Amino acid sequence: MRDTSRRRLLVVLLALTLVLLGVDVAGGPGAGQLRAAGGAAFGPVERFLSPGADAAGVGAAEARAGVLRDQLVAQSRESRELAALSGAPDLAGSTFLPARVVGVGRQGAAGPERVTLDLGARDGVRTDLSVVAAEGLVGRVVAVSPWTCDVLLVGSADLVVGVRVGAAGTLGSVGSGARGPQHRPAGQLSLTVVERGTVRSGDAVTTLGSVGGSPFPAGLQVGSVQDVDEAPGDLTPTASVRPAVDLTTLDVVGVLLTGPRTTPRTPSTATG
């Protein structure tokens, strides 16, 4: 149907072209005006008849639609992640600045070790602040510029986090799975218990807490025990830990300005 219409329009255009050519050759009056009018009238028709122009127009429109669709998907994902971050139970009572990952830095044996966020000193960010996702601890701020900051991620070779393990709160530390006597697969952390205690698969691993809450407030999810190493005679058990946060898909995170709400201590009097 479209090919038939093209042929008919071509016949009409050819006839009109011959008429205009005859008038122009004969030097008839108004030949220039006729050419201008013909261009204005038949220009859109020529574009319609031109497969290349038509395809280019459709291709450009599809490209613009694709860019817009990708932007909407990204905005929707960011909105969901920000809502999850704001509603995370472990972050109740905390104050944080939402930020986006805009760069990936050093790569280690176990994966990325640093990322760059789109917040800096002008936003109130300083070094030794915790960075979190809805699922738990991401890392700590180690360098700040006016508009951006660098974050050392959990699992990097240079970061060790004091933790408590399980319901009993066994003390320990979590570091890179690429270090120590037990080499962990990429994406796993290494737990070393610093006091004799029982560690079981599935135990929650949370931050012990730093003095003044910096860099790490107490109670942030670090991960969960995956496998306990079989090492008879060791006084301090070791285990692999699955991180709470997938560090390979980071997007929206929060820079903690104050930690989660804690219960105030009450004075007590010794008896004896």
Side-chain angles (χ1 to χ4, degrees), residues 90 162 164 206-210 213-214 216-221 259-262:
D90 290 343
R164 288 189 180 275
T206 59
T207 52
L208 173 64
S210 308
S214 177
F216 305 118
L220 297 177
Q221 293 290 324
R261 183 170 48 242
T262 58

Side-chain angles (χ1 to χ4, degrees), residues 129-169:
L129 290 179
S130 289
V131 177
V132 295
E135 298 81 9
L137 182 65
V138 169
R140 69 180 180 91
V141 177
V142 292
V144 180
S145 68
W147 300 109
T148 62
C149 65
D150 289 345
V151 178
L152 192 63
L153 301 178
V154 172
S156 69
D158 300 327
L159 183 62
V160 176
V161 182
V163 296
R164 288 189 180 275
V165 184

Side-chain angles (χ1 to χ4, degrees), residues 21-155:
L21 181 61
V23 172
D24 196 16
V25 170
Q33 289 86 343
L34 283 173
R35 284 196 300 270
F42 297 113
V45 178
E46 291 170 349
R47 291 188 61 181
F48 169 76
L49 292 174
S50 170
D54 185 44
V58 172
E62 290 179 347
R64 289 193 294 270
V67 170
L68 179 59
R69 182 172 59 252
D70 291 344
Q71 290 175 344
L72 292 175
V73 169
Q75 291 172 359
S76 176
R77 183 181 65 251
E78 290 177 12
S79 297
R80 291 195 303 271
E81 292 182 0
L82 181 58
L85 191 59
S86 300
D90 290 343
L91 300 179
S94 63
T95 302
F96 65 86
L97 294 171
R100 289 187 65 248
V101 174
V102 294
V104 179
R106 187 176 67 194
Q107 296 283 320
E113 295 195 347
R114 285 178 181 252
V115 295
T116 299
L117 307 181
D118 62 350
L119 289 180
R122 292 178 181 268
D123 303 294
V125 178
R126 58 177 175 80
T127 57
D128 287 334
L129 290 179
S130 289
V131 177
V132 295
E135 298 81 9
L137 182 65
V138 169
R140 69 180 180 91
V141 177
V142 292
V144 180
S145 68
W147 300 109
T148 62
C149 65
D150 289 345
V151 178
L152 192 63
L153 301 178
V154 172

